[in-house]
Amino acid sequence: AMPLLVLLILLGFGLRLYTLGRLPLLIDEIGFAARAADILHGQRIPIFAAGHNGNPATFSWLLSGSMAFFGQSIFAVRLVSLAFGTLSIPAAYALGREWWSRRAGLIAAAFLATYPAHVYFSRLALYNIVDPLFALLALAALKRALRYGRLTDFGLAGMLVGVAQYFYHGSRLLPVLMVVYVVITIYKATRQGRKGFFIQNQMRFYAAMLFAFGVVSLPRFAPMLTGRLPLTGNLDNVRLPDDLGDNALRSILAWVGQADVSPFWLSDAPLLPFAALLACAMGVIICLRRLRDPRHVILVSTLVLTTVFGGIIWTAAPLYVRYMTALPALVLLAALPFEYMLKRTGLNHTDINRKDAKDAEIQARYRWKIWLVRGFIIIIITQGIIMSVQHTQEAYEHVPAGLWEEDTLARAAAQLPADVEARLSVSDDFGTVERITIADYVAFYGQRRAITIITK
């Protein structure tokens, strides 16, 4: 299993590294990167305070560290997302292994390594790609804690959930999902009359998890309270849109091909490629038929909550980047059909290719089913690789002319002496958004300065 996992990590890393710095910075990337440059030049922005648009400043601090080593460049700020995106691949393996089996872990890792949306957003300096890593690890730690009853595992799960709070506010759903998982687990154990550790010592274990979460997340939430920011951070656009019905429908249909409306995606590619969509759909059907299992409840709940809080109650939907909150559910849903299909054959769950006598006999009897599973997994991986490569070219071609112009002007203005005002002559393609973000773009490449925009 480990050699294959290493190959998947290297494949995922290569896809995410490919053309990492080719696109100009996009809107929120500019804001995060500009705050990072401010930090790099000595501006005192508390690491646990609100930063760009009221979002946590933690992400900008990470970008600043990368810029300190690799310079003020697009490549440098996107290295952070590349690192978190790549680390999510072994985290997906850990989640699949803890929740089902090593085989499920490998399939989940293979899906994530080549999943086009995750590959693409791992190339952008956006904080949405960070907290899914901690969500994957936290859910794996929780399952491990419930299985073995170790206080340290409960504490680790709480700490990981706490760390996730320092990035995208979609991570607020994670504590809810974990509480649901624990409640259902306790309820099932009570109904079955079992007196396991999670009933006898539940207060001690769950108090440890809650305490770890509180200690780790307190610096994140304290400045929000003292600074009179809403408890969930930058959620100014979280309100019922005027076209609630249509917006809700678009949010739901995002899973099956509704086009992204954001300036980040820059492509007509769907959120889920057809092969992966088919696998995930079969995974949802399996979950709906087995809702007595808390694992299946969590997967379905994650999709529902992500759709509601990632699209329906926002003023514009869908934005694919918000759907990265559902990543732990997606990797498991993609693996479930194959896990259950191979489990029914009786094949050793730890290794599809194991060659002991029993498994050799099983492989001979169910050869067609095993090859069907392998073939479908190969199709998912192949389609993901092709779409990830194609998406790069499509995104490059869809970059607005004004954004290229903004990048060029920002580079030139950053070369001026620090005390010189930048007078920028812009074309008609230079839109309203570029006029708002140009000061930050210049700050990213150099440092803050006065800017005057002159229309040609």
Side-chain angles (χ1 to χ4, degrees), residues 8-23 66 70 74-87 89 113 115-116 118-124 388-389 392:
L8 290 172
I9 294 172
L10 292 176
L11 172 62
F13 175 76
L15 288 173
R16 287 158 177 78
L17 180 63
Y18 177 61
T19 66
L20 184 67
R22 189 181 189 192
L23 298 178
S66 179
F70 301 103
I74 293 176
F75 185 85
V77 294
R78 287 178 174 162
L79 277 177
V80 175
S81 294
L82 170 68
F84 281 101
T86 303
L87 289 173
I89 300 170
Y115 177 34
H118 192 261
V119 170
Y120 179 73
F121 290 125
S122 296
R123 298 190 191 119
L124 301 182
S388 295
V389 174
T392 301

Side-chain angles (χ1 to χ4, degrees), residues 359-377:
D359 284 352
E361 179 183 349
I362 292 172
Q363 288 199 28
R365 184 184 308 171
Y366 296 100
R367 189 179 302 276
W368 67 271
K369 185 177 290 188
I370 295 170
W371 279 108
L372 178 63
V373 168
R374 289 172 174 170
F376 205 100
I377 293 172

Side-chain angles (χ1 to χ4, degrees), residues 4 347-348 350-356 359 363 370 374:
L4 182 55
L347 187 66
N348 191 302
T350 59
D351 190 350
I352 294 177
N353 297 306
R354 186 165 176 168
K355 299 301 183 182
D356 59 37
D359 284 352
Q363 288 199 28
I370 295 170
R374 289 172 174 170

Side-chain angles (χ1 to χ4, degrees), residues 21-96:
R22 189 181 189 192
L23 298 178
L25 293 180
L26 309 172
I27 306 179
D28 283 343
E29 283 191 288
I30 298 172
F32 285 121
R35 300 308 179 277
D38 292 340
I39 294 169
L40 190 65
H41 289 287
Q43 184 171 332
R44 296 182 178 275
I45 300 178
I47 190 170
F48 297 135
H52 167 61
N53 281 347
N55 294 299
T58 319
F59 188 63
S60 289
W61 272 88
L62 294 175
L63 300 186
S64 178
S66 179
M67 291 165 66
F69 282 99
F70 301 103
Q72 291 177 242
S73 67
I74 293 176
F75 185 85
V77 294
R78 287 178 174 162
L79 277 177
V80 175
S81 294
L82 170 68
F84 281 101
T86 303
L87 289 173
S88 296
I89 300 170
Y93 167 78
L95 179 62

Side-chain angles (χ1 to χ4, degrees), residues 25 30 33-34 37-38 41 67 72 405-417 420-424 430 434 436-453:
L25 293 180
I30 298 172
D38 292 340
H41 289 287
M67 291 165 66
Q72 291 177 242
E405 182 180 1
E406 182 181 22
D407 182 77
T408 301
L409 290 172
R411 289 175 185 267
Q415 303 303 315
L416 297 173
V420 174
E421 178 186 18
R423 299 177 62 83
L424 308 178
F430 206 75
E434 284 71 36
I436 295 173
T437 59
I438 185 62
D440 280 346
Y441 216 140
V442 173
F444 156 65
Y445 275 126
Q447 50 187 306
R448 296 283 172 182
R449 70 176 65 247
I451 292 175
T452 299
I453 296 177

Side-chain angles (χ1 to χ4, degrees), residues 23 148 175 300-301:
L23 298 178
Y148 297 111
V300 174
S301 299

